[in-house]
Amino acid sequence: MWPIVTLALALPLAAARTPEEIAQNARWLVHQTTWGYLTTLDAHTKVPVGDTLSFSDGALDHSTGRFFFYVMGDYTAAAPQGLPCAFTLSQASLMHNATLDPEDPRCAKLTASGILRKSEGEDVQLGKEALFARHPQMKHWPASHHFAVHELQLSEVWMIDMYGGGENISLDVFWAAQPRHTTPWAASSRSSVLQPGSKPPPWSQLADRARWLVAHSVWAALGTSSVRRPGMAWGNVRSVADGVGTNSTGLPMLYVPTPDPSSADLAADARAVLTMSEAGLPAPGSGSCGETEDPICARITLSGRLRVLNATELLDAEERMKVKHPLAPWLATGGAHTGGQYFTIELENITFLDFYGGPSNLTVAQYLAAAAPQDC
């Protein structure tokens, strides 16, 4: 639990900020980050689907507040009117220095909701300029893959970067703001337990590599079907703990506070997806993440149903959290003062990409049967 003195000092700071200052911090986060987690709903089953995508809102000296993506031309083909989605960013992606846990409210988290559409006209060139400035590798991606500029046309921006819960930011205020870090917390955020020099298993060992990624990930995007926005997906950042050493199971545990939008979503529909990227690891892994969207920067989605832990599992979860998240002591002592629940995932489907040629042919059974990583 957070010390009372910490809350007492922080809450007046939250009340002192204007809507414009909150929007400035949102624009700062959008401009500083270069990748995030996209969550959609399957067109037929309505099951949440996760992905990891690079994006840009402009060159470093030219923030636009617009979300541009460079994805294969058929990415939105199944949705001619555009793909409803949520795109989730975290300050935890910015730096490796451990000063705040990813789940700490002061570690800014933003979810932009809207429709992802293929760009047309002048927006194509504008998007390329924004993307290539921040992701120069994209200029050399193969033409045969038909990459095209897409834009997330916003309908909502939600952010939490302070105690007191998240809130929606008026789009007019968001677009009018200039990027500026307006909280007193340091801009670095990462809880690190990955040992320096830890390397993933060989490329040929798919299941072992997937388990390595999940075991070393300390945060993920939790994708759900939104209660607040019917028919839309929702994405949110949660700290996760797969296990410690041989106790690794491949099935992360996580805590969801009651006031969190994800809590209401899970109460209505437990189907969910956890999405993790090698780019989000707290220390360098294979060294393959110069560009997050490059296939050799490993990413994984775990799909299934989230289940509340029983009493025995809860003790295990608290021990995992104690080791994996030393900067979030409340996660190891029953959770936040607001109340909440600990979950794990009943795994039904897995998508793992760590090389060219599309997702690997990895089954849930193969993944679960793999040996636990020894260095986590």
Side-chain angles (χ1 to χ4, degrees):
M1 299 288 286
W2 281 103
I4 293 176
V5 64
T6 302
L7 289 170
L9 290 172
L11 289 174
L13 290 172
R17 287 196 305 170
T18 66
E20 289 74 20
E21 288 173 323
I22 295 171
Q24 286 173 347
N25 206 50
R27 286 289 300 273
W28 170 83
L29 181 63
V30 169
H31 194 52
Q32 290 298 315
T33 51
T34 58
W35 65 274
Y37 294 117
L38 190 81
T39 307
T40 60
L41 297 182
D42 183 271
H44 303 292
T45 65
K46 303 304 178 184
V47 170
V49 178
D51 201 0
T52 304
L53 292 179
S54 297
F55 84 105
S56 175
D57 90 318
L60 278 174
D61 59 348
H62 182 63
S63 169
T64 67
R66 298 170 68 177
F67 291 70
F68 289 108
F69 302 82
Y70 205 45
V71 294
M72 292 187 188
D74 61 353
Y75 199 87
T76 58
Q81 303 305 312
L83 185 65
C85 62
F87 189 58
T88 303
L89 311 177
S90 175
Q91 188 176 335
S93 70
L94 295 179
M95 296 181 70
H96 296 287
N97 298 328
T99 58
L100 295 172
D101 188 85
E103 196 157 318
D104 191 311
R106 300 170 297 174
C107 177
K109 294 162 277 288
L110 181 148
T111 298
S113 299
I115 306 294
L116 184 66
R117 291 191 172 98
K118 189 174 181 179
S119 297
E120 299 178 342
E122 295 179 353
D123 286 342
V124 174
Q125 184 59 33
L126 179 62
K128 284 184 177 181
E129 291 174 357
L131 289 159
F132 295 170
R134 305 293 292 277
H135 304 276
Q137 185 187 112
M138 289 181 174
K139 289 186 290 187
H140 308 291
W141 285 357
S144 60
H145 286 47
H146 307 291
F147 284 95
V149 175
H150 287 63
E151 182 177 358
L152 175 57
Q153 298 182 348
L154 298 178
S155 58
E156 179 185 275
V157 173
W158 179 95
M159 183 178 71
I160 181 169
D161 65 349
M162 189 80 74
Y163 300 112
E167 60 185 305
N168 290 337
I169 300 172
S170 162
L171 292 182
D172 289 338
V173 176
F174 174 80
W175 281 316
Q178 292 297 313
R180 186 168 71 92
H181 190 223
T182 62
T183 70
W185 331 119
S188 59
S189 170
R190 194 70 65 86
S191 175
S192 178
V193 294
L194 185 63
Q195 298 301 314
S198 175
K199 298 293 183 182
W203 296 98
S204 59
Q205 299 177 12
L206 287 175
D208 291 339
R209 288 176 66 83
R211 287 288 298 273
W212 179 89
L213 176 56
V214 171
H216 287 298
S217 294
V218 293
W219 63 284
L222 169 61
T224 53
S225 179
S226 178
V227 169
R228 292 187 309 111
R229 300 172 61 81
M232 294 282 289
W234 173 255
N236 208 349
V237 171
R238 307 272 23 118
S239 290
V240 296
D242 169 38
V244 181
T246 57
N247 290 328
S248 168
T249 64
L251 302 174
M253 293 179 175
L254 61 153
Y255 177 75
V256 180
T258 300
D260 193 282
S262 302
S263 179
D265 293 348
L266 291 170
D269 187 346
R271 296 179 299 175
V273 61
L274 292 171
T275 308
M276 288 158 271
S277 169
E278 187 179 347
L281 294 184
S286 67
S288 302
C289 290
E291 166 52 52
T292 303
E293 201 171 316
D294 191 310
I296 61 174
C297 182
R299 70 210 67 170
I300 194 168
T301 62
L302 305 177
S303 303
R305 295 177 182 271
L306 289 200
R307 172 180 61 78
V308 177
L309 301 184
N310 60 39
T312 301
E313 292 171 324
L314 180 57
L315 295 175
D316 181 29
E318 291 182 342
E319 184 59 30
R320 294 186 189 192
M321 293 294 183
K322 181 180 179 180
V323 175
K324 294 284 189 176
H325 297 279
L327 297 176
W330 66 94
L331 292 176
T333 54
H337 69 283
T338 58
Q341 293 178 302
Y342 290 84
F343 293 85
T344 190
I345 188 167
E346 294 182 336
L347 190 59
E348 298 174 2
N349 188 52
I350 182 171
T351 303
F352 180 57
L353 176 68
D354 72 338
F355 203 71
Y356 304 108
S360 64
N361 230 351
L362 181 63
T363 68
V364 170
Q366 291 169 333
Y367 170 79
L368 294 177
Q374 299 299 303
D375 60 347
C376 61

